[in-house]
Amino acid sequence: MFKLLIAEDVRTVREALIRSIRWEEIGIRLLGAVENGEEALIWLEREEPDLLLTDIGMPRMNGLELIEAVKARKPDIRCIILSGLNEFEHARQAIKLQVLEYILKPIDPAEIERVM
């Protein structure tokens, strides 16, 4: 079973991700959901997720900065971006960071399950 950490600053989106996806049924154990990149890095100190699902636009540390920091510490973690930003520059940087998928908001549980 894969272990997942979610980083999403919008509480309603974060809660929807937790509740609307049948994580266990798709072979994923949800470790937790944090509201910014700094909190995600703290989680990495005590847990070892296999997957990171992160928003781009977050306070303190955006999702792209988070992915870069995660890859430097734990290069095997697979990263997926969930974002309301459909900007080419973000997509280009995501490619450089070897992100597996770039999912646009609003969230679609079926699409997230497919990607996972």
Side-chain angles (χ1 to χ4, degrees):
M1 186 167 283
F2 291 105
K3 296 178 286 183
L4 169 69
L5 177 62
I6 296 172
E8 167 62 61
D9 65 317
V10 179
R11 185 171 42 117
T12 55
V13 174
R14 194 170 56 246
E15 290 173 0
L17 286 167
I18 292 167
R19 288 193 214 121
S20 66
I21 313 266
R22 300 175 307 264
W23 296 111
E24 297 283 326
E25 289 181 24
I26 60 172
I28 294 176
R29 190 177 106 210
L30 180 60
L31 295 176
V34 298
E35 62 182 70
N36 62 58
E38 288 179 358
E39 287 182 28
L41 291 178
I42 292 169
W43 267 86
L44 285 177
E45 303 286 322
R46 60 180 185 242
E47 295 278 352
E48 293 219 11
D50 303 297
L51 302 165
L52 171 66
L53 176 62
T54 184
D55 187 12
I56 289 181
M58 296 185 295
R60 297 191 198 158
M61 175 184 285
N62 73 41
L64 295 171
E65 294 167 333
L66 170 60
I67 291 169
E68 192 170 4
V70 164
K71 290 286 192 176
R73 295 172 187 196
K74 313 251 184 202
D76 293 334
I77 293 178
R78 295 174 207 120
C79 301
I80 299 160
I81 291 175
L82 175 66
S83 181
L85 304 172
N86 188 10
E87 294 185 19
F88 176 74
E89 187 54 40
H90 289 141
R92 190 169 71 154
Q93 192 169 357
I95 290 168
K96 286 181 183 177
L97 293 170
Q98 300 176 336
V99 168
L100 292 178
E101 189 75 46
Y102 192 109
I103 303 170
L104 291 175
K105 291 179 185 174
I107 64 168
D108 176 1
E111 182 180 5
I112 292 172
E113 288 177 13
R114 180 193 59 76
V115 168
M116 294 294 170

